[in-house]
Amino acid sequence: MLISEVMDEAGIIKVAVRNGGPARIVRSAKSVYSLALEAARSGSSLAALIETRGLGETIDLEAAYRKGLLRSPISHADPAHLHITGTGLTHLGSAAARDAMHQKLNGEETLTDSMKMFRMGIESGKPAKGQIGVQPEWFYKGNGTMAVAPGAPLVSPHFASDAGEEPEIAGIYVIGDDGTPFRVGFALSNEFSDHVTERVNYLYLAHSKLRNASFGPEILIGELPADTRGSSRIIRNGSTLWEKPFLSGESNMSHSIANLEHHHFKYPVFRQPGDIHVHMFGTATLSFADGVRTEPGDVFEIEAPAFGLPLRNPLVVDRPVSIQVRAL
């Protein structure tokens, strides 16, 4: 089942679901967030709650997408209560591009930190059931103010040295009243980053990740397919500039989803009732690694058959802003 949010012509939010057929509106559903919390409070699965609510009229999601009416598939009324985070070096093959960026310049044969982290994941990222594996790399992207709806521009700061896509799968979560994390499902995501800044020094990773991100348009309810395959492309002036397949799912990862979830939600700050989490699981595919330099107006497109509609976002560069700190 795929679930999404769309606005009608009057600006009213509707929740749409589809399961092999046309999308239909969920009756009396104000948002995906409200449905998820209701399911958590009732002990019901999200799919069962939707079935109980019932489905109404059909809706053409592709037409709504073209009109700019698709929203981020989940959001919070207070953006400070939506957290966008992620992990890196979690996919088989993901170390190659990262290691190339972080190679030491002195010719030593010692492993880079990237390769050490990747090796740790290979050795201990998929623990036996009931055990805890090695913690992955982790980074913070921002709160809900950084979230960009499908179709809307990803805005690169004027001071950025690069504006590159990262095609990833994100876990979507809500935190229940008692602090229990509940997984709503999985979505396509673009973990938009500044790879040139990151390459200067690995300690600049935190700076490079404080950028917009987009996810959706639809959330896949249920388990993540173990072998998830999709495509990532950049479109410039109506033509495909760059395209490459990407792989995800546990068959293509050095960490299990459960291990990544444990090491995120082990921190109490990420188990605050009512919060939303969009946690991105990493990638091994980057146009930057192939020497591509993006330009304003380029369109990023990420798709995978299991996730419904592709995620599309154009690139915009923000205008310079003068920041002045005033003493009180």
Side-chain angles (χ1 to χ4, degrees), residues 125-179:
K126 291 183 175 180
K129 188 175 182 179
Q131 297 184 7
I132 297 172
V134 67
Q135 64 184 6
E137 174 195 45
W138 182 96
F139 57 83
Y140 174 73
K141 284 197 67 66
N143 59 26
T145 62
M146 290 293 210
V148 171
L154 289 164
V155 181
S156 180
H158 74 277
F159 53 78
S161 300
D162 173 57
E165 86 301 330
E166 293 199 19
E168 305 191 15
I169 305 301
I172 311 298
Y173 308 86
V174 297
I175 309 302
D177 296 334
D178 64 352

Side-chain angles (χ1 to χ4, degrees), residues 13-16 25-32 34-35 50 53:
I13 298 172
K14 304 285 187 180
V15 176
I25 299 301
V26 181
R27 292 195 175 103
S28 303
K30 295 181 179 179
S31 66
V32 171
S34 63
L35 279 176
I50 290 169
R53 287 290 184 95

